[in-house]
Amino acid sequence: IEPWRLAVVGALALGADRSLLEIRFGSDNESFTWAEVCVVLGLFLVPLPLLIPLNTVGVLLYHVLKRTHPLKATFNATAFGLGTALAGLVFQLFPTVQSVPTVSTAVGLGVAALVFSAWNGAAVTGAVSLAGRIPFAEVYRKGLLLRGLVCLGNSAVGVGVVLMVQWSRPSVIFLPPLLLLMYTAYRGYLHAMQ
């Protein structure tokens, strides 16, 4: 495997759990991140047996550097690693050609991102629910629309980056404005929801 692939995936994993938005539940919160983008690009760039520890260690290192409580850091890294494994298993069900995206690759990456997001959302919702002694359904319902918006947007960005880089590298220049537009939409929806 080329070293640049490891470097890209490692850097993405280190920033994957950085909060874009947060919904508060008393003293706890649910964070929304770029995690699906990290998982999609990782699934395309490196083999799953390497991606799982890269993502897990990257997320753990992020939380250690952020001085997150060790139990929470371990939970977040473990949930991310398990979500990566589930997404990878789903992605392997789709026929793909190594390093050349096809329609099957794009669909597989999109479905894998949805599986990751569903797992991650349920895991985080469960933790927030337990910590705050709030019913799971209440916590899940409160963040459901924003969680869905972020998942679909992040999944589209991840798959779009894979396709753009392979089919038209100069088009990657449009990625930063696209990410800013998505972030603005996420923020706007969160403000309207509160």
Side-chain angles (χ1 to χ4, degrees), residues 10 33 37 52-54 58 64 69 87 90 96 98-99 101 121 128-129 135 138 144 150 166 171 180 183 190-192:
T33 68
V37 175
I52 295 167
L54 275 172
V64 166
H69 186 279
V90 168
T96 60
Q98 185 62 23
S99 75
V128 170
S129 172
E138 182 181 329
L144 183 62
V150 169
Q166 293 297 316
S171 65
L180 181 61
Y183 178 71
L190 180 61
H191 285 298

Side-chain angles (χ1 to χ4, degrees), residues 87-112:
L89 292 173
V90 168
F91 180 59
Q92 289 178 350
L93 298 175
F94 292 82
T96 60
V97 177
Q98 185 62 23
S99 75
V100 178
T102 63
V103 171
S104 180
T105 304
V107 171
L109 289 170
V111 172

Side-chain angles (χ1 to χ4, degrees), residues 108-188:
L109 289 170
V111 172
L114 294 175
V115 167
F116 172 85
S117 182
W119 160 259
N120 209 40
V124 171
T125 297
V128 170
S129 172
L130 286 172
R133 295 192 168 103
I134 304 167
F136 180 90
E138 182 181 329
V139 176
Y140 195 80
R141 231 183 349 264
K142 185 172 182 181
L144 183 62
L145 289 176
L146 184 57
R147 193 178 305 108
L149 176 67
V150 169
C151 169
L152 292 175
N154 286 354
S155 300
V157 166
V159 172
V161 168
V162 167
L163 297 176
M164 283 190 325
V165 166
Q166 293 297 316
W167 291 336
S168 175
R169 290 183 190 212
S171 65
V172 174
I173 196 164
F174 295 107
L175 188 59
L178 174 64
L179 295 176
L180 181 61
L181 180 65
M182 286 179 57
Y183 178 71
T184 303
Y186 295 164
R187 279 290 246 202

Side-chain angles (χ1 to χ4, degrees), residues 61-83:
L61 182 57
Y62 167 77
H63 284 288
V64 166
L65 293 172
K66 192 178 152 196
R67 298 176 191 244
T68 302
H69 186 279
L71 183 61
K72 184 176 180 182
T74 303
F75 172 82
N76 288 343
T78 302
F80 203 99
L82 288 171

